[in-house]
Amino acid sequence: MRPTLFALPVALVLFCSPVLAQPAPKPLDDKKLVTKVYTVKNLIVGREKGGVVADFDALVKLIFETVSIGEPKSDGTGAQLVERDGGALEVRTTEKVHHEVKDLLEALESLQDLAIDVKTEVFELDAATYRQLVNALPKGRSKSPVLFAIGREVIGVPESKPEDLELPAAALKLLKSGRIVQTSSGRFVNGVDSTVSARKVVIPFKNDPAAISVGTKTSNPLFVKEGFALNALLVVSADRRSVRMKLTESSTAVTGMQKRELFELEGKKAIAQSLDTEDLGTTGSALVADGGAAIFKLDYAPKDKVWVVILKPTLFFQSVEDQLKKEGKSMGPR
């Protein structure tokens, strides 16, 4: 029986040990300086490519605005930020501040989980086809540059189907009867104003007497760019089912050319040229369902033509994409 008598207290000690008080976590040192290196390459690739800040300087500015790094010293032994190759940020500060820096960088990285993929198509129509297009659209609004958007009528409707996110068949038929000028696509950061579609033709002109014709090699090349740029401020809704798009067009059209004679040399006249231009543009807003579409009429277009842009936003979630890749699937509209 002796073994049994001794086993009982041992068992009691083992059973009670987990409820003993745990030591308090050691406070972070706010005196000793420690050097750590953070990889920030993905944060500074540029906003239009999915980065969170425009460049390294913008990231440093944000850190200084958010965290008290500490006082630098002239001999280089104080608190310090160092830009290194490969998108690395070296930080020398206390452990306590490092904790704040780490939290800030993780918060910035979390913003990258959500982005907006936007596909744009630019169509050229004649005036008659454009009028038919406006009439074919539900509640067509010829006075607004945003002619149509698939938004509130399908957002949050359980019985909505994939075909509900498509443009009306009659409108699609009219668009396809026109000429497609260009298509483009890109991934854009939530809440950042970005160029989603642009087309500008370079038109050279001369006022250098040595340049006999336009395009001849010259030390003073002159040109203007005619065309459009469409910017979009994209903001995802709180329920992540739609995108609020504020669309702003900035365009330039060449309206004429002025010529004047400078002088005549060996029977050849030196002619200076200048181009007359007109600035164009318009603004409109739309709420577009994830995977839906909007139609925007540009103020710019070639003579006797109308250009319209079809915008199709789709929400992108990096965490979801990573999981689906593991499963051998791809992410579609939500």
Side-chain angles (χ1 to χ4, degrees):
M1 299 296 292
R2 188 179 297 250
T4 304
L5 293 173
F6 281 101
L8 179 59
V10 173
L12 289 173
V13 172
L14 292 174
F15 176 76
C16 295
S17 60
V19 299
L20 296 176
Q22 298 295 322
K26 185 178 180 181
L28 296 173
D29 193 336
D30 61 353
K31 301 294 183 182
K32 182 181 178 181
L33 297 182
V34 179
T35 300
K36 295 184 179 182
V37 178
Y38 300 90
T39 300
V40 296
K41 182 178 180 179
N42 291 338
L43 299 177
I44 58 176
V45 294
R47 288 180 171 177
E48 293 191 1
K49 296 181 180 180
V52 178
V53 292
D55 51 31
F56 191 89
D57 290 353
L59 177 61
V60 170
K61 183 174 183 291
L62 181 60
I63 292 174
F64 278 134
E65 290 174 343
T66 310
V67 180
S68 296
I69 293 295
E71 184 178 356
K73 294 183 179 180
S74 57
D75 61 359
T77 59
Q80 192 175 55
L81 296 180
V82 179
E83 178 182 3
R84 290 176 40 173
D85 59 284
L89 171 66
E90 180 181 303
V91 181
R92 182 162 68 241
T93 187
T94 66
E95 282 287 0
K96 183 177 181 180
V97 177
H98 271 298
H99 187 73
E100 296 178 24
V101 171
K102 182 173 178 290
D103 284 348
L104 173 62
L105 296 179
E106 287 179 350
L108 292 174
E109 288 175 355
S110 69
L111 295 177
Q112 293 181 300
D113 182 60
L114 174 62
I116 305 102
D117 290 339
V118 180
K119 179 182 178 180
T120 62
E121 298 172 290
V122 182
F123 289 89
E124 181 180 272
L125 307 174
D126 57 42
T129 303
Y130 171 71
R131 287 193 294 269
Q132 293 178 47
L133 173 66
V134 173
N135 293 331
L137 294 170
K139 301 178 182 179
R141 301 174 293 167
S142 59
K143 292 183 179 180
S144 171
V146 181
L147 304 177
F148 178 73
I150 300 173
R152 297 187 186 278
E153 63 275 12
V154 297
I155 296 171
V157 178
E159 62 271 18
S160 61
K161 303 174 182 178
E163 54 265 28
D164 294 332
L165 298 174
E166 296 292 336
L167 293 172
L172 281 173
K173 184 177 180 180
L174 290 166
L175 288 168
K176 291 180 179 180
S177 70
R179 180 177 74 92
I180 186 164
V181 179
Q182 68 178 37
T183 62
S184 56
S185 60
R187 179 162 295 158
F188 305 97
V189 179
N190 181 30
V192 175
D193 190 36
S194 307
T195 301
V196 293
S197 183
R199 184 178 182 85
K200 296 186 177 182
V201 178
V202 176
I203 302 177
F205 62 96
K206 66 172 187 174
N207 62 10
D208 183 354
I212 304 303
S213 62
V214 173
T216 302
K217 182 178 179 180
T218 175
S219 60
N220 184 31
L222 299 172
F223 60 89
V224 298
K225 291 184 288 185
E226 180 184 51
F228 78 93
L230 183 61
N231 276 32
L233 176 59
L234 306 168
V235 180
V236 178
S237 62
D239 62 4
R240 296 190 169 190
R241 296 185 63 87
S242 61
V243 181
R244 171 68 65 178
M245 310 175 74
K246 181 181 179 182
L247 302 165
T248 304
E249 175 195 357
S250 178
S251 301
T252 300
V254 174
T255 58
M257 177 182 290
Q258 303 292 330
K259 295 183 180 182
R260 61 189 180 92
E261 183 178 331
L262 298 177
F263 55 85
E264 185 173 331
L265 180 64
E266 298 179 352
K268 295 182 179 179
K269 295 181 178 180
I271 305 296
Q273 300 176 344
S274 63
L275 297 179
D276 296 329
T277 60
E278 179 183 2
D279 292 331
L280 305 170
T282 186
T283 301
S285 298
L287 180 67
V288 185
D290 177 19
I295 303 178
F296 186 93
K297 176 185 177 295
L298 293 171
D299 209 13
Y300 172 84
K303 186 178 179 181
D304 299 327
K305 299 295 182 180
V306 178
W307 279 13
V308 295
V309 183
I310 312 302
L311 302 103
K312 299 179 179 179
T314 303
L315 300 188
F316 173 84
F317 302 91
Q318 186 63 58
S319 57
V320 176
E321 180 75 3
D322 292 342
Q323 181 60 36
L324 290 176
K325 282 183 178 179
K326 292 179 181 179
E327 300 173 359
K329 304 176 183 178
S330 61
M331 185 171 68
R334 288 167 62 86

